[in-house]
Amino acid sequence: MATKSWILQILSFIPLLLPVTYSLDFNFHAVFNFGDSNSDTGALIAAAIEHIDPPFGQSYFRKPSGRYMDAMDLPFLNAYLDSIGTPSFQKGCNFAVAGSTILPANPTSVSPFSLWYQVNHLIRLKHRALELPAKGKKYNKFIPLEDYFTKGLYMLDIGQNDLATAFYSKTLDQILASIPRILAEFETGIKRLYDEGARNFWIHNTGPLGCLTQNVAKFGTVPSKLDERGCVSEHNQAAKFFNTHLHALCKKLQGDFPDSDITYVDIYTIKLNLIANFSRYGFEQPIMACCGLGGPPLNYDSRISCGQTKVINGSSVTAKACPDSTEYVSWDGIHYTEAANQYVSSQILTGKYSDPPFSDKMPFLLKLKF
């Protein structure tokens, strides 16, 4: 994929990241990630649910990798569902699957691997990791050590699809009313991880859904539906409502689990600031997709995905990438470009968008571009 997602941009700095206790000698031994396409490293492909075509991968892998993100300095965080090539899970594992939701999947869901099933996969991995050493030391280089499951970092970025897909069949009021149920399911997932020994949590809120090209194309055809940035107002309203309650839940969990470090990260503010002030950060297109079909103002056609060739209205057309993706915030109308994700990750690592914040502890360790 041409994008380099925020999560593995961050993973390159994991040895430098500090827990909420700010112990300078602390290093996370492993990373366990849960989420959707914002951090999928190939699970949807491994499950044979989807395939990826060029130009995905053009900026980094030079081929379609099936990954929705990639690492820079650390070993790649292997997708749990990808068992080809003897993947190593010693430094952690990625359970994220594109299209996944917090709520249980239904027959029309893109991915059947909701948060519940992703946590199930972690539990299975842990149990297998504890069993295998008895069968020989040859397995040690492929599995996390027992204490890695307690000392590891558990990253969660999920919920975007619960909200975005709901707009196709529900009103805003109905969606807002469903958020407590969504977050109750999320809390259950956190508690299950805690019961398995997880103590270090990094929880991302959801971004401004109304600014995604896909949503603007579908729900923003009436100008009154758009805000001053060209984003769909109701989608962003739902995201903000979700985030407010997610933040409150994280504060509650901090009280429920005083022996844990639970950090809430405000992705929404970071991304909205990028879109509102795109030119300040060197971008030229805040909404229009780099890879798509149709040209300005959105270059997005729901009938054809980035890299695909189809016959539409009697003509064969291909959704191609723009010449320079660094000018765009949106890659394919749903995901951000590598350049945009680099901005997002750099802002996360300042620490000032986190609760508890760690801005007074981190900046001297990092060389941030933005």
Side-chain angles (χ1 to χ4, degrees), residues 81-199:
L81 294 175
D82 187 1
S83 60
I84 298 175
T86 317
S88 173
F89 301 124
Q90 188 180 54
K91 298 298 183 181
C93 184
N94 190 13
F95 301 96
V97 182
S100 292
T101 54
I102 295 173
L103 291 177
N106 58 55
T108 62
S109 297
V110 173
S111 165
F113 301 105
S114 65
L115 180 60
W116 178 272
Y117 282 102
Q118 291 183 30
V119 174
N120 281 350
H121 291 157
L122 176 281
I123 294 172
R124 175 172 172 77
L125 173 66
K126 179 185 175 184
H127 291 175
R128 290 291 290 160
L130 299 182
E131 293 171 356
L132 285 174
K135 297 183 178 181
K137 294 183 178 180
K138 63 181 179 179
Y139 296 106
N140 289 347
K141 64 181 178 179
F142 299 112
I143 58 176
L145 299 178
E146 182 175 357
D147 64 345
Y148 283 19
F149 289 97
T150 298
K151 295 180 179 179
L153 178 64
Y154 290 75
M155 305 178 72
L156 296 97
D157 187 318
I158 192 168
Q160 173 175 310
N161 293 316
D162 292 87
L163 302 180
T165 57
F167 274 98
Y168 286 85
S169 60
K170 297 179 180 179
T171 66
L172 175 61
D173 287 342
Q174 290 173 325
I175 293 169
L176 298 181
S178 72
I179 286 175
R181 177 177 168 235
I182 295 172
L183 291 179
E185 187 74 17
F186 185 85
E187 182 177 8
T188 297
I190 293 292
K191 289 181 176 178
R192 293 180 71 211
L193 291 172
Y194 179 87
D195 290 341
E196 291 297 325
R199 293 297 182 268

Side-chain angles (χ1 to χ4, degrees), residues 79-332:
Y80 177 75
L81 294 175
D82 187 1
S83 60
I84 298 175
T86 317
S88 173
F89 301 124
Q90 188 180 54
K91 298 298 183 181
C93 184
N94 190 13
F95 301 96
V97 182
S100 292
T101 54
I102 295 173
L103 291 177
N106 58 55
T108 62
S109 297
V110 173
S111 165
F113 301 105
S114 65
L115 180 60
W116 178 272
Y117 282 102
Q118 291 183 30
V119 174
N120 281 350
H121 291 157
L122 176 281
I123 294 172
R124 175 172 172 77
L125 173 66
K126 179 185 175 184
H127 291 175
R128 290 291 290 160
L130 299 182
E131 293 171 356
L132 285 174
K135 297 183 178 181
K137 294 183 178 180
K138 63 181 179 179
Y139 296 106
N140 289 347
K141 64 181 178 179
F142 299 112
I143 58 176
L145 299 178
E146 182 175 357
D147 64 345
Y148 283 19
F149 289 97
T150 298
K151 295 180 179 179
L153 178 64
Y154 290 75
M155 305 178 72
L156 296 97
D157 187 318
I158 192 168
Q160 173 175 310
N161 293 316
D162 292 87
L163 302 180
T165 57
F167 274 98
Y168 286 85
S169 60
K170 297 179 180 179
T171 66
L172 175 61
D173 287 342
Q174 290 173 325
I175 293 169
L176 298 181
S178 72
I179 286 175
R181 177 177 168 235
I182 295 172
L183 291 179
E185 187 74 17
F186 185 85
E187 182 177 8
T188 297
I190 293 292
K191 289 181 176 178
R192 293 180 71 211
L193 291 172
Y194 179 87
D195 290 341
E196 291 297 325
R199 293 297 182 268
N200 304 296
F201 296 92
W202 192 309
I203 299 172
H204 287 197
N205 69 13
T206 198
L209 305 179
C211 300
L212 296 178
T213 323
Q214 181 187 62
N215 293 330
V216 175
K218 173 66 177 180
F219 301 97
T221 54
V222 179
S224 62
K225 296 286 187 180
L226 302 176
D227 63 17
E228 67 278 8
R229 302 178 186 88
C231 304
V232 185
S233 299
E234 288 193 347
H235 281 64
N236 282 355
Q237 185 178 339
K240 287 188 288 186
F241 188 85
F242 174 87
N243 292 339
T244 297
H245 289 270
L246 176 62
H247 193 185
L249 174 59
C250 288
K251 300 293 283 187
K252 174 182 178 293
L253 292 170
Q254 289 166 1
D256 291 345
F257 305 132
D259 60 338
S260 297
D261 293 329
I262 299 173
T263 302
Y264 170 87
V265 186
D266 187 4
I267 298 296
Y268 184 96
T269 296
I270 294 172
K271 289 185 173 181
L272 191 65
N273 180 58
L274 171 59
I275 291 166
N277 302 287
F278 63 94
S279 59
R280 180 188 303 175
Y281 303 113
F283 295 89
E284 296 184 9
Q285 299 293 342
I287 304 293
M288 185 167 74
C290 165
C291 187
L293 182 70
L298 297 177
N299 194 40
Y300 182 84
D301 190 320
S302 62
R303 296 171 294 180
I304 182 170
S305 300
C306 172
Q308 289 186 338
T309 297
K310 287 186 175 182
V311 176
I312 297 179
N313 297 329
S315 299
S316 178
V317 293
T318 301
K320 299 179 180 179
C322 59
D324 185 0
S325 64
T326 64
E327 298 177 353
Y328 291 71
V329 171
S330 176
W331 164 245
D332 59 357

